[in-house]
Amino acid sequence: MELRDFIWPDNVCMTGKSECAPPHQLRSPVNLFQSGNIVKICAPMVRYSKLAFRTLVRKYNCDLCYTPMIIAADFVRSVKARHSEFTTNRGDHPLIVQFAAKEAQVLADAACIVSPFADGIDINCGCPQRWAMAEGYGACLINRPEAVQEMVKQVRNQVENPMFSVSVKIRIHNDLQRTVDLCRKAEAAGVSWITVHGRNAEERHQPVHYDAIKIIKQSVSVPVVANGDMKSLKDVENVCQVTGTDGESFKGKKMTFQWTAVAVFLYAEIAILLLLCLPYISPLRWQKIFMFSLWGKIANYWNKAFLAIIVLLIVLFLDAVREVRKYSNVHIAEKSTQATASAYDHIHMKLFRSQRNLYISGFSLFLWLVLRRTVSLITLLAKERGAQVALEIQVANTSDAARKYLEENEKLQQSLMERRNCVNNELIEATNKKLKQEAEKLKAEIKKSSMVLGKKTDEVTAVKNQAESLKKEYDHLIREHTKLKEHAGDKQDKKAL
C-alpha cells in the first residue's frame, strides 16, 4: 500500500488535492497486550517522536508508537497547532496520541478530532517539568485522581469508536498507596492500560523503583506498562521479569546535544594542537598564516570568545562534578539498602556518563588553555626567529664590513712598516757610525789608561820593594837594639856586685 502523508485540518495529501483521508481499519491496541509477548513501545519524546522517527522505529519491530506530548487546548483551538503538532500516514499504526490536559471536555474534544487517524490517546500525568505542572498539566494530575477519572470517562463517552483506547501515564507518589488508589480509579473509569514511570515527580536521574511498578501491577487488572531507564532489549526483559508488567516503554538514550558539542570541540582542539605541533611547519610559516586579514578580523572578538568559552566549559565541568558526586552518593546509599541489580546497573551507567562528561569538559578546558598558550608561544617564537634572522643578517653585514676594514688596516700597517723600516735603517747606520767613533775613542783612552796604569803599577812595585827593604832594615835594627839592651843590663849587674 502506498504511504500518503496527511496533515491538518483538511487532511490535504502531499499531492495537493483536497480529499478526506480514507478511514484506516483501526484495531484496539489493547489486543497487543493479549498476545502473551512483551509489548515494545516507543515512549513519547519531545521533538523526536514525529512521523519520520516513528516510521524508522517501526522498521525495527517496535509494536506501538506515541506522538510527542500535545497541549490539548491548543490543539482544539488552533488550526496552526494541528498542522505543526500532528502528522501521520496510513502506515503509522498502531499510534497513540499523547495529550496534556487539565479539563475533561477539552481532552474529549481533542480525542474526537484525532480518533479517525489514531488508535488511541494517552493522558500525560507524568511530565515533571515545572512549566507543565504550573499550568496544571503533567505530574501534578496524580494528586487529582478524580480529575483523571473524569477525563477517562469523558473520552470513553464521546469517542464513538469502541476500539479507541484511552491510557494514562503516571508517576508514583512517595506514599505508594495513593498511586494504587489513582490506578484503581482510572481502571474503574475504563482506562485501557496504565503506563507507570517508576519515579516520583521530584526525581530525575535516581534509580527507578521497579518494586513500586510491581505492586501497582498486582493491584489492578488492566495492563501495566513499565517506563524508565530501558535502553536495550535486555533491560526490557529484565524489567519484565522483575515487575511482571505487560509492556515496556523505552527511550533511546544518547549523548545530549551540549555534551556532543563539547566532545566535537574536544576532538577539534586535539586536531588543531596536532596540526600546530607538526615539525614540518615552522613558526615563521604559522606567523604568516596568522597574519592573514581574516585572522585580523577575528582577533577583534578573540578575547571575548575565549573568555566566553572558558566560562561555558567551567560551568559544564562544575555540572559534571556535581553529577559525579550525586551518583556516587546515590550508589553508596543504594548499596547500604541492598538495592536491586538493575538499580545498580542504572546507577553505574549514570555514574559512567557523568564521569565521561567530567573528562570531556575537563580535557576540553585544559586543551583550550593549552591551545591559547601554544598559539601565543608559536607567535612569540616566530617573532624571536624573525629577530634572530634579522640579527644574523646584520651580523653577516657587520662581519663583511669588519673584514674589509681589517684588510685595509693590514695594508696600511704594511705600508707603515715599510716606511718605518726605511727610516730605522738610516737611523741605525748613523747610530752605528757614532758608536764606532765612540768605541775608537774609548779604545784610545783605554790604551792611554793602560799605559798610565802600567807606569803606576811599576811605581807601586818599586815602593813595595823599598818598603820591604825598609822593613828588613827595621827588623835588623830592632834585633840590634835588643842585643844592646841585653848587653847594657849585664854590665849594670856586674857593677852592682
Side-chain angles (χ1 to χ4, degrees), residues 200-321:
N200 60 40
E202 290 76 26
E203 292 178 328
R204 295 295 184 271
H205 305 291
Q206 288 78 2
V208 177
H209 302 285
Y210 295 117
D211 51 346
I213 300 177
K214 182 177 182 180
I215 293 173
I216 294 170
K217 170 60 182 174
Q218 295 171 351
S219 303
V220 296
S221 59
V222 295
V224 175
V225 176
N227 173 243
D229 289 347
M230 276 166 279
K231 299 173 280 294
S232 66
L233 288 177
K234 184 178 179 181
D235 294 339
V236 171
E237 295 172 357
N238 292 337
V239 173
C240 185
Q241 291 177 359
V242 171
T243 61
T245 50
D246 305 278
E248 312 298 332
S249 176
F250 60 94
K251 297 182 181 181
K253 295 287 185 179
K254 60 181 182 179
M255 188 183 293
T256 56
F257 173 76
Q258 66 267 25
W259 292 114
T260 303
V262 174
V264 172
F265 184 72
L266 174 62
Y267 288 123
E269 288 177 321
I270 294 173
I272 294 173
L273 282 173
L274 290 176
L275 187 63
L276 291 174
C277 294
L278 287 177
Y280 308 105
I281 305 177
S282 65
L284 293 175
R285 183 68 58 82
W286 282 117
Q287 179 68 8
K288 293 180 181 178
I289 295 174
F290 294 156
M291 293 301 293
F292 288 166
S293 59
L294 176 63
W295 300 115
K297 296 178 181 178
I298 296 176
N300 297 328
Y301 308 97
W302 169 246
N303 290 329
K304 294 181 180 179
F306 175 78
L307 293 177
I309 293 174
I310 285 289
V311 172
L312 179 61
L313 291 176
I314 290 174
V315 170
L316 292 174
F317 179 77
L318 294 177
D319 181 68
V321 171

Side-chain angles (χ1 to χ4, degrees), residues 351-398:
L351 181 61
F352 167 76
R353 288 176 178 171
S354 59
Q355 289 173 341
R356 175 203 63 194
N357 297 338
L358 177 66
Y359 297 147
I360 290 174
S361 58
F363 278 113
S364 296
L365 178 61
F366 173 72
L367 290 181
W368 186 239
L369 296 173
V370 170
L371 183 61
R372 173 68 179 268
R373 181 52 59 90
T374 302
V375 172
S376 300
L377 291 176
I378 288 177
T379 304
L380 181 61
L381 183 58
K383 291 181 180 178
E384 294 295 332
R385 289 281 182 87
Q388 183 180 358
V389 170
L391 288 174
E392 289 177 353
I393 295 173
Q394 185 177 359
V395 168
N397 294 334
T398 306

